[in-house]
Amino acid sequence: MGISALDATLFDDIVLEDLLPLHREIHDYWSSKKTDGRLPARADIDPVDIPQVLQWTLLLDVVRSDAQPRFKFRLFGTGLVERAGRDLTGVWIEDAFPEEQRHAYFFDAVARVVAEARPIGYFGHSMIEHRHHIRVRGLLFPLAADGRQVDMILGVNLRETLTNHAT
C-alpha cells in the first residue's frame, strides 16, 4: 500500500446529495440534535442511535488555554483502530502521528470546526490498496455543552474507492 499525491482538501459547502450515505446519515442525525440554533452537546449524541457509523467515529476533546486549542482523542472507533494499527484514544492529535505523516488538512479542519462552530468536511490522503485507488473522506461536527462554544468534535472518517482514477 502506497500513498499517492491526490488532493487533500477541505470542503465547506456540505451538499447532502454529494455525501457518502453514512456521512449523510450522521449529518442528518447531528442536525436533528440542534435546537433553537444551538449546537448539540455530547450528551445529545446517543451511540445506540448511530450503530452503523460507530466503528468509523472519533471524538476529539477541545482543550482550551491561552494559546490555540489543543485536541485529544476521546474515542477512536474500532474500524479506525484497525486501519491505523493502534488505538489513539487518549492521545493528543499532534502526538498521534509521526511528523511526516501529519496531514495539514485534518489539523486545519479541526481548528476550523472550533473557530466557525459548523461542520467541515475533508478529502484526505489517498492510497493504492489491492490495485484500487482509495481516498479518505471525513466529516467533523461541532459539539458544545453550552450550545455555543465548541468543546468536542464528532468525526466520521470513511474511505471511498475512486473508480475513475488511473493508477
Side-chain angles (χ1 to χ4, degrees):
M1 171 169 57
I3 294 176
S4 83
L6 264 194
D7 60 327
T9 59
L10 303 182
F11 56 92
D12 294 335
D13 298 325
I14 296 176
V15 179
L16 291 179
E17 295 78 28
D18 294 340
L19 295 179
L20 297 173
L22 286 178
H23 279 152
R24 191 171 25 254
E25 196 168 319
I26 193 69
H27 184 278
D28 291 347
Y29 178 73
W30 176 85
S31 295
S32 76
K33 299 298 180 177
K34 289 172 53 178
T35 56
D36 299 325
R38 297 173 63 83
L39 295 171
R42 165 61 187 94
D44 297 323
I45 306 301
D46 187 346
V48 171
D49 295 337
I50 52 172
Q52 62 287 0
V53 297
L54 284 181
Q55 68 178 332
W56 311 117
T57 299
L58 60 90
L59 285 174
L60 287 170
D61 285 324
V62 178
V63 180
R64 297 179 186 276
S65 66
D66 292 336
Q68 294 198 354
R70 290 183 71 200
F71 307 96
K72 185 183 245 184
F73 287 100
R74 174 176 288 239
L75 170 78
F76 201 66
T78 57
L80 299 177
V81 169
E82 187 176 313
R83 277 191 212 151
R86 65 187 181 126
D87 189 356
L88 298 178
T89 301
V91 178
W92 296 99
I93 65 168
E94 67 268 18
D95 297 333
F97 310 99
E99 195 161 341
E100 68 276 3
Q101 291 180 7
R102 292 182 191 164
H103 300 290
Y105 66 85
F106 185 72
F107 286 78
D108 291 347
V110 295
R112 285 190 52 199
V113 169
V114 171
E116 299 173 18
R118 66 184 181 94
I120 299 286
Y122 58 88
F123 294 114
H125 69 279
S126 301
M127 64 206 77
I128 304 298
E129 191 173 83
H130 306 293
R131 297 187 179 210
H132 295 285
H133 196 83
I134 308 293
R135 175 172 64 180
V136 173
R137 192 167 175 177
L139 281 180
L140 301 171
F141 300 91
L143 301 174
D146 68 0
R148 301 206 186 292
Q149 186 174 41
V150 179
D151 56 13
M152 191 172 285
I153 296 172
L154 167 67
V156 176
N157 189 322
L158 302 173
R159 287 183 175 185
E160 76 178 319
T161 300
L162 302 178
T163 56
N164 296 329
H165 183 74
T167 57

